[in-house]
Amino acid sequence: MRVLIIGSGGREHALAWAIMKSPLLTKLYVAPGNPGTARIAENVPLRAMDIPAIVKFAVEQRLDLVVPGPEAPLVAGIADALAEVGIACFGPSAAAAQLEGSKIFTKQVADAAGIPTAHWKKFTDADAAHAYLDEVGAPIVIKADGLAAGKGVVVAAELDEAHEAVTAIMEDKIHGAAGASVVIEQCLVGEEISVFALCDGEEALFFGAAADHKRVGEGDTGPNTGGMGAIFNPPWATQDIIQRSMEEVVRPALKEMARRGTPYRGFLFAGLMVEEDGPKLIEFNVRFGDPECETVLPMLNSDLLAALKAAVQGELGSVEPAWRPGSSATVVMCAKGYPGAYATGSEIFGLDEASDLPGVLIFHAGTMAEQGGILANGGRVLAVNALGTDLREALSRAYAAIDRLDWEDGFCRRDIGWRALLELDRFELNRGATQLGK
Ligand code: AMP
Ligand code: GLY
């Protein structure tokens, strides 16, 4: 198969790495890609949002499949444009991509499908929103309706903060038109998981779970980022929770989207809060997570391309993904200053020495190649993944790889997986106590 991946981040490098292993593959392009994808596939200098150019390339190159990584080209209709010229795309139509494009749309789908989620109300008028906040109090969550580069959500512990968020989003319009409408919703309490499903329009196949660390600071403090690190299958993603997530959240959403005449095809990412009485939907994304993708795909022990092919052909029933034993963790190396202003152009040394360590894969996220060297070229720069027999080993391998990197202008969080490690410690303590009591 002749395949094109769209995007240039760590997620797309991981997709390329996994698809490269498929015996079905004859040629892999990445547009625009990065120096990591250039090593294993052919980069094409097309921007992810230049849909006409991508369609033209796909036709000229007689591609069999296009796999968009990020949400923006999907929301802009890349799958529809490719369908018009008869080229298969593993990703939703613009209409189905509204599951990520609009928070109000998602809440309406959730309510129509009976999906458990936070109680919510929509506002287009700032005064009404302020009045509602005074009525319900804090903690409370305020969300800009449209895409706001992952910065459109404020979880307000205090009422003052909630009012400030409404003023910033609706009156000062800090997210522009994306904040013309807001959702105000109940604050959910529990541990978060990202659940991934491979969808063919009718059926959904569980495709891994992970826990991300969104805040920039250790102990999950400071501003939100795209994701500072992730672990595979955290302890709170029990089999029961995964099964319930698929039955109570993913499958009802798929059914509702099909009923509306906009069937959902592609990776569906359910961001869930595991509350005491079960999983609650926080949000859907219409793509794989990043750095979750770099964490989940290294655990996959079967053919990713065969699974994507089956999904676009509506034959998901024939696919049974296989997973490796053990665990997986990813730590993201960022440029100092991220998620605020940061400098680009500093050189990163030690990449080969770091990737030589057992179980380690380094995915490029925001890099550029210059005169044989690799330079930083983004906020999130590298996604350092490691596999291990358990989470502790995976994490210590990822950090050992990071210690071999020599990059003055970079930083990472040193505590990725801390909640999971605490939970595992607690479990082991309990088990020890039970055994002593015998
Ligand atoms: P989002 O930008 O939609 O990914 O949301 C960012 C983060 O805000 C989520 O990962 C959650 O940690 C948090 N969040 C969103 N909605 C809620 C909610 N209803 N209750 C508690 N936390 C939430
Ligand atoms: N890491 C979270 C996301 O991709 O949205």
Side-chain angles (χ1 to χ4, degrees):
M1 288 175 73
R2 298 170 57 74
V3 179
L4 168 68
I5 295 171
I6 296 178
S8 61
R11 168 182 47 215
E12 289 74 28
H13 188 182
L15 285 167
W17 171 84
I19 288 176
M20 273 308 290
K21 294 191 289 183
S22 172
L24 296 175
L25 186 76
T26 51
K27 178 76 191 176
L28 182 62
Y29 296 102
V30 187
N34 62 38
T37 62
R39 278 192 165 191
I40 55 174
E42 184 176 336
N43 284 354
V44 193
L46 298 174
R47 285 182 304 109
M49 286 303 277
D50 193 349
I51 295 176
I54 289 170
V55 171
K56 185 165 170 271
F57 179 81
V59 172
E60 280 168 6
Q61 296 297 326
R62 300 182 315 280
L63 298 182
D64 300 299
L65 183 66
V66 176
V67 185
E71 67 281 7
L74 292 163
V75 173
I78 194 164
D80 311 76
L82 287 163
E84 269 177 36
V85 293
I87 289 179
C89 175
F90 181 73
S93 64
Q98 281 301 97
L99 276 182
E100 177 160 358
S102 161
K103 298 210 160 33
I104 291 170
F105 178 84
T106 304
K107 294 302 260 188
Q108 287 166 341
V109 168
D111 286 353
I115 294 169
T117 185
H119 296 298
W120 66 288
K121 246 180 128 139
K122 169 191 160 171
F123 293 90
T124 48
D125 176 68
D127 291 341
H130 286 297
Y132 180 69
L133 288 177
D134 286 331
E135 186 190 321
V136 293
I140 190 88
V141 181
I142 295 101
K143 303 184 170 186
D145 176 43
L147 289 180
K151 301 191 174 76
V153 175
V154 176
V155 180
E158 307 292 338
L159 200 52
D160 287 354
E161 208 185 330
H163 283 296
E164 279 165 26
V166 164
T167 304
I169 298 171
M170 302 190 79
E171 295 167 51
D172 302 340
K173 301 188 171 58
I174 56 166
H175 304 305
S181 304
V182 300
V183 168
I184 297 183
E185 69 179 31
Q186 165 203 11
C187 191
L188 299 169
V189 182
E191 292 286 358
E192 281 183 57
I193 42 172
S194 309
V195 169
F196 300 95
L198 200 71
C199 304
D200 70 359
E202 282 176 24
E203 284 181 61
L205 195 65
F206 172 63
F207 218 68
D212 181 19
H213 293 266
K214 287 208 170 95
R215 305 293 192 102
V216 74
E218 278 160 18
D220 297 317
T221 54
N224 259 328
T225 68
M228 299 295 292
I231 59 165
F232 186 72
N233 268 357
W236 49 93
T238 59
Q239 262 192 348
D240 175 56
I241 288 294
I242 295 300
Q243 202 175 342
R244 288 187 59 186
S245 305
M246 292 299 292
E247 292 312 323
E248 296 172 20
V249 179
V250 173
R251 294 201 170 96
L254 222 60
K255 207 166 161 193
E256 173 64 15
M257 293 303 284
R259 190 191 66 76
R260 292 172 176 229
T262 51
Y264 188 90
R265 188 163 83 184
F267 289 118
L268 185 61
F269 167 166
L272 304 170
M273 190 73 85
V274 182
E275 288 204 305
E276 251 164 43
D277 59 345
K280 305 283 164 68
L281 176 69
I282 297 174
E283 59 168 357
F284 282 122
N285 295 306
V286 299
R287 52 177 171 82
F288 226 112
D290 188 350
E292 289 96 324
C293 186
E294 299 95 302
T295 311
V296 169
L297 289 185
M299 290 296 285
L300 183 67
N301 214 1
S302 52
D303 188 336
L304 175 63
L305 184 56
L308 303 186
K309 179 177 177 229
V312 293
Q313 292 176 337
E315 291 167 359
L316 213 47
S318 64
V319 179
E320 217 170 300
W323 302 96
R324 290 172 186 276
S327 194
S328 167
T330 302
V331 180
V332 177
M333 286 290 294
C334 302
K336 282 180 188 161
Y338 175 79
Y342 53 81
T344 60
S346 55
E347 185 157 3
I348 303 162
F349 301 96
L351 281 164
D352 290 337
E353 291 85 340
S355 9
D356 279 349
L357 287 171
V360 169
L361 288 165
I362 300 190
F363 297 111
H364 290 231
T367 63
M368 60 183 164
E370 211 173 86
Q371 290 167 354
I374 295 293
L375 312 185
N377 190 33
R380 293 193 295 169
V381 174
L382 299 169
V384 180
N385 170 262
L387 300 180
T389 49
D390 58 19
L391 178 62
R392 281 191 186 86
E393 188 179 51
L395 283 165
S396 72
R397 285 174 159 182
Y399 282 116
I402 282 175
D403 290 338
R404 285 194 173 188
L405 291 173
D406 176 8
W407 176 29
E408 233 171 76
D409 285 350
F411 78 99
C412 67
R413 272 182 62 170
R414 284 274 160 189
D415 67 342
I416 297 304
W418 70 275
R419 289 172 190 274
L421 293 177
L422 266 184
E423 183 101 358
L424 292 172
D425 283 347
R426 217 176 289 138
F427 177 77
E428 274 154 26
L429 270 178
N430 281 342
R431 197 172 54 181
T434 318
Q435 278 166 355
L436 279 176
K438 264 186 193 161

